[in-house]
């Protein structure tokens, strides 16, 4: 089966999944075609929340349905915003959120941070595939690619923020890229 439904309300996530999966022959569908995802993320980990999202719509479609819970963990801030990354400073845009984080990190020497992505897939069992991208919080916002916290996330591999990378470069090293490759391995084995 080559049809995959990405159960997310975030069009940036859909775009990244398309870039990774379509060249491999997958047909990527998103909720916009049908409905909006309205689920309460009550889990305490990325994996739990990803499963909650996947469970919510798994029975509706006759295709592979995956959901992603992801976010940015900043060591010096007790790994916040973490699973609250989308809800952090709700109502404000990312320009404001990113500036706010830079301000909170102003005098901080430990700048370690990581993006985490948990992809949930439910077939006859529940599966979660996790990917992590290690890096650090930059001193200023840079770059216009990507989305969310990308302009303040300095990647280890390139010494550039993830918003300065091309989508190919980001997908190669990103939390979402890594988690997707684990998902693909599983789908290949399952055949
Ligand atoms: P769905 O729950 O509908 O999938 P959402 O945006 O609410 O959409 P999450 O709860 O998983 O998704 O929150 C993820 C947030 O983490 C996202 O909105 C960004 O702020 C941040 N984030 C995740 N991956 C990112 C990436 O690759 N680059 C930048 N920010 C990212």
């Amino acid at each position: 089966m080559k049809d995959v439904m990405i159960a997310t309300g975030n069009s940036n996530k859909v775009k990244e999944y398309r870039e990774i999966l379509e060249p491999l022959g997958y047909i990527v569908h998103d909720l916009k075609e049908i409905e909006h995802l309205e689920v309460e993320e009550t889990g305490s980990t990325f994996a739990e929340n990803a499963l909650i999202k996947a469970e919510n719509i798994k029975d509706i479609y006759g295709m592979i349905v995956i959901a992603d819970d992801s976010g940015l963990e900043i060591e010096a801030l007790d790994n916040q915003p973490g699973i609250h990354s989308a809800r952090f400073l709700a109502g404000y845009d990312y320009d404001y959120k990113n500036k706010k984080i830079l301000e909170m990190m102003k005098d901080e020497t430990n700048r370690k941070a990581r993006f985490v992505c948990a992809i949930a897939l439910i077939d006859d069992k529940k599966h979660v595939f996790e990917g992590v991208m290690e890096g650090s919080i930059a001193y200023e916002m840079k770059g216009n690619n990507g989305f969310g916290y990308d302009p303040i996330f300095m990647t280890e591999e390139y010494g550039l923020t993830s918003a300065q990378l091309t989508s190919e470069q980001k997908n190669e090293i990103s939390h979402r890229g890594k988690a997707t490759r684990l998902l693909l391995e599983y789908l290949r084995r399952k055949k």
Side-chain angles (χ1 to χ4, degrees):
M1 192 195 320
K2 284 281 194 179
D3 286 82
V4 182
M5 163 66 69
I6 315 291
T8 177
N10 182 330
S11 58
N12 295 296
K13 287 185 183 178
V14 176
K15 178 174 170 281
E16 292 191 358
Y17 282 111
R18 274 193 207 293
E19 287 161 359
I20 301 168
L21 292 169
E22 284 181 350
L24 300 172
Y26 285 89
I27 301 161
V28 175
H29 302 266
D30 68 81
L31 287 179
K32 237 191 341 5
E33 295 167 14
I34 303 145
E35 60 177 294
H36 205 74
L37 182 69
E38 284 293 344
V39 287
E40 225 186 308
E41 294 173 26
T42 51
S44 56
T45 62
F46 291 108
E48 279 173 19
N49 280 334
L51 278 168
I52 290 170
K53 294 182 209 181
E55 259 164 355
N56 211 261
I57 68 160
K58 77 182 158 83
D59 292 330
I60 308 177
Y61 308 101
M63 62 177 89
I64 299 167
V65 175
I66 62 166
D68 146 346
D69 199 59
S70 48
L72 176 65
E73 294 184 341
I74 303 174
E75 258 188 32
L77 302 180
D78 273 337
N79 287 337
Q80 294 302 311
I83 58 167
H84 304 114
S85 291
R87 290 163 273 169
F88 176 67
L89 295 174
Y92 290 94
D93 63 16
Y94 276 91
D95 193 59
Y96 181 86
K97 293 189 200 198
N98 283 330
K99 281 189 186 137
K100 202 74 196 166
I101 290 178
L102 291 182
E103 212 177 290
M104 291 161 78
M105 292 291 290
K106 194 164 43 84
D107 300 319
E108 191 50 67
T109 50
N110 175 11
R111 309 202 62 92
K112 278 195 193 153
R114 68 192 64 82
F115 270 119
V116 182
C117 174
I119 297 177
L121 165 76
I122 301 176
D123 42 27
D124 44 336
K125 281 207 202 112
K126 296 177 182 182
H127 307 268
V128 178
F129 307 93
E130 282 208 15
V132 174
M133 170 164 65
E134 298 285 351
S136 59
I137 298 302
Y139 288 90
E140 53 183 340
M141 285 198 276
K142 276 192 184 155
N144 299 307
N145 302 332
F147 66 101
Y149 301 104
D150 281 327
I152 59 166
F153 186 83
M154 189 58 74
T155 61
E156 285 180 347
E157 287 85 345
Y158 290 95
L160 296 170
T161 70
S162 39
Q164 289 177 297
L165 302 183
T166 63
S167 48
E168 288 79 13
Q169 287 171 324
K170 181 180 170 189
N171 294 335
E172 191 62 42
I173 61 167
S174 80
H175 49 318
R176 191 162 294 104
K178 289 175 183 163
T180 309
R181 286 189 283 279
L182 293 178
L183 162 75
L184 288 169
E185 246 171 62
Y186 168 76
L187 293 175
R188 260 182 234 126
R189 275 201 314 270
K190 201 181 150 184
K191 262 189 203 159

